[in-house]
Amino acid sequence: MADVPVGTLIDILFIFGLIGGAGTTLALGIPMIAEGINKLTGLEVNMVLNTGILIYVLTDIVATD
């Protein structure tokens, strides 16, 4: 049933939804993690810290998958 064009379209839209959800989660979660690190360590929240957190989170996701 999924081999018909409607099924393929649904599959494609579902994948875009998953990617959008993951992107939204990262975009909302990383600043919160950065603020927590700021409160615990006093490190300034800047692009370097946010990028480091992003790299760590993505590496953790790939490594544990």
Side-chain angles (χ1 to χ4, degrees), residues 1 6 13-14 16 18-20 22 24 28 30 33 39-40 42-44 46 50-52 54 56 60 63 65:
M1 191 72 163
V6 173
L13 292 174
F14 181 77
F16 278 119
L18 284 176
I19 292 170
T24 302
L28 293 174
I30 287 176
I33 294 170
K39 297 286 184 191
L40 291 173
L43 288 174
E44 180 182 349
N46 55 22
N50 287 339
T51 304
L54 177 64
Y56 175 77
D60 187 40
D65 188 30

Side-chain angles (χ1 to χ4, degrees), residues 3-47:
D3 293 333
V4 297
V6 173
T8 303
L9 177 65
I10 291 171
D11 288 345
I12 291 169
L13 292 174
F14 181 77
I15 295 299
F16 278 119
L18 284 176
I19 292 170
T24 302
T25 300
L26 288 172
L28 293 174
I30 287 176
M32 287 189 273
I33 294 170
E35 286 296 330
I37 290 173
N38 175 276
K39 297 286 184 191
L40 291 173
T41 65
L43 288 174
E44 180 182 349
V45 177
N46 55 22
M47 186 63 76

